[in-house]
Amino acid sequence: MMDLDLYTLLLLVAFGFLAAFIDSVVGGGGLISIPALMFTGLSPSTAIATNKLAGSMGSLTSTISFFRSGNIDFKIVGKYFPLVFFGSMLGAWFVHFISPEVLKPLVLILLIAVATYTIFKKNWGQKSTYVKLDKKKALIFIAVMTIIGFYDGFLGPGTGSFFIFAFLMIGFDFLQAAGSAKFLNFASNIAALIMFLFLGAVNFSYGIPMGLAMIVGAIVGSKFAIKKGASYVRVLFIFVTVILILKNVLDYLHIL
């Protein structure tokens, strides 16, 4: 870490904490952490890879916090970990053959649908209505989890929103959905990180300090969410999803 000056360290710590505070609950922290890493002078590809290192540290911390509060049932969500892990690894590998830009219009449409549905279904996710999935629904949900994992390795923005929305659709409340999403987001993060480590794309000097700040941010953010309850998570979920929509619109217009 000899190339890390005080100004850069403070920037990484401040934005790492803020990114993890939000990301620990509903995802979307990359909107803050990746630009911060690029501001330090890292290339976009190195910033994304380094963010996976820091993000993995934060998502693991969030998972532990939600588990301790009783908002993750590993008997239900544990079976999806290898599917998401494999999907993310496959997605990160596919980046070498297909440009992620091809998915952006579809992602924008899906994010708009997620936000609209959640806004108008006001009492949705306030309490758990989950019952064991029948065989047909279970197969569909398995496919959805694998696809979201693939998407996170391939492109990424909005992964937290898609995970939470999927769990809400099967009857989880917002806190359960957020906790389960963070567990599976850790799976997709660590899988993509392994691929980036293999490619030698991770900057440890920047990733470790930001990751340590993310651990603190994840602890504070997840505990705050658990204390405030499902209503708070719903509002934050809608806010972050709308920000993601705006970012995708700007990116899409820039491409055009």
Side-chain angles (χ1 to χ4, degrees):
M1 299 186 190
M2 297 301 292
D3 61 335
L4 195 62
D5 58 59
L6 181 60
Y7 172 77
T8 302
L9 178 62
L10 291 175
L11 183 146
L12 293 173
V13 168
F15 285 98
F17 176 88
L18 181 60
F21 184 91
I22 295 171
D23 197 71
S24 65
V25 187
V26 294
L31 291 170
I32 299 170
S33 56
I34 292 176
L37 287 165
M38 290 176 63
F39 186 76
T40 65
L42 296 183
S43 67
S45 59
T46 303
I48 292 170
T50 304
N51 184 64
K52 285 299 182 185
L53 170 61
S56 295
M57 296 166 71
S59 58
L60 176 60
T61 305
S62 300
T63 298
I64 294 170
S65 295
F66 276 107
F67 174 68
R68 286 178 174 174
S69 69
N71 285 295
I72 301 178
D73 188 338
F74 285 122
K75 290 182 179 179
I76 297 175
V77 300
K79 66 188 77 171
Y80 304 116
F81 189 98
L83 298 172
V84 172
F85 184 94
F86 171 76
S88 182
M89 285 277 279
L90 191 63
W93 182 68
F94 257 81
V95 171
H96 296 284
F97 306 100
I98 305 172
S99 171
E101 303 297 331
V102 300
L103 280 185
K104 285 193 172 181
L106 176 60
V107 171
L108 178 58
I109 293 170
L110 290 174
L111 285 171
I112 292 172
V114 166
T116 303
Y117 191 89
T118 308
I119 289 169
F120 285 99
K121 203 168 177 64
K122 296 186 181 297
N123 295 321
W124 196 39
Q126 296 303 306
K127 62 180 182 179
S128 177
T129 59
Y130 174 79
V131 292
K132 186 177 180 180
L133 302 178
D134 60 36
K135 188 175 181 179
K136 181 180 179 181
K137 290 181 179 179
L139 289 174
I140 294 173
F141 197 71
I142 286 171
V144 169
M145 291 293 102
T146 307
I147 290 169
I148 296 175
F150 177 90
Y151 168 74
D152 194 32
F154 188 69
L155 186 57
T159 298
S161 296
F162 294 139
F163 272 133
I164 289 175
F165 190 78
F167 282 111
L168 289 172
M169 289 295 291
I170 63 171
F172 282 31
D173 64 37
F174 265 103
L175 275 176
Q176 291 172 332
S180 301
K182 290 319 301 177
F183 173 61
L184 294 181
N185 206 182
F186 171 68
S188 60
N189 278 341
I190 201 71
L193 174 61
I194 290 171
M195 181 62 72
F196 286 130
L197 288 171
F198 176 76
L199 297 172
V202 179
N203 185 309
F204 289 94
S205 296
Y206 289 9
I208 291 176
M210 177 173 268
L212 293 173
M214 282 191 170
I215 289 175
V216 179
I219 292 172
V220 176
S222 54
K223 286 188 175 181
F224 190 78
I226 292 164
K227 181 180 178 180
K228 291 293 183 179
S231 296
Y232 164 78
V233 179
R234 179 180 184 274
V235 171
L236 187 61
F237 173 75
I238 293 171
F239 174 76
V240 171
T241 304
V242 170
I243 295 298
L244 282 163
I245 290 169
L246 293 175
K247 181 185 182 299
N248 276 270
V249 168
L250 293 174
D251 288 348
Y252 188 63
L253 291 176
H254 179 70
I255 293 171
L256 294 177

